[in-house]
Amino acid sequence: MVSLFFSLLAMIILFFTNQMTASLCTQKEIPEDRQPGVFRTINILITILLISSYIEVLFT
């Protein structure tokens, strides 16, 4: 049950993080060729945070 709830929450967090990243790229006028790297970096870092928080919840 916890894993289902956490998975849904993680997808929502990633969705809104990507929306905020898109608006950041637009606002700061980041060139089109650098935007995939920005998205990739932010998504990897958020995924690491989500996995570590899931492990913390799972083992406490």
Side-chain angles (χ1 to χ4, degrees):
M1 186 67 182
V2 174
S3 61
L4 177 66
F5 175 73
F6 202 85
S7 297
L8 290 173
L9 186 63
M11 289 191 313
I12 292 170
I13 289 171
L14 282 171
F15 176 75
F16 283 112
T17 303
N18 281 329
Q19 280 189 333
M20 289 188 289
T21 304
S23 66
L24 172 75
C25 288
T26 303
Q27 183 181 17
K28 296 295 181 181
E29 299 174 357
I30 297 175
E32 291 281 329
D33 59 334
R34 293 190 60 209
Q35 286 183 12
V38 172
F39 275 93
R40 188 178 314 113
T41 302
I42 291 175
N43 282 334
I44 288 171
L45 294 174
I46 294 295
T47 304
I48 290 169
L49 285 172
L50 288 169
I51 290 171
S52 64
S53 62
Y54 177 72
I55 290 172
E56 183 179 348
V57 166
L58 193 63
F59 291 114
T60 55

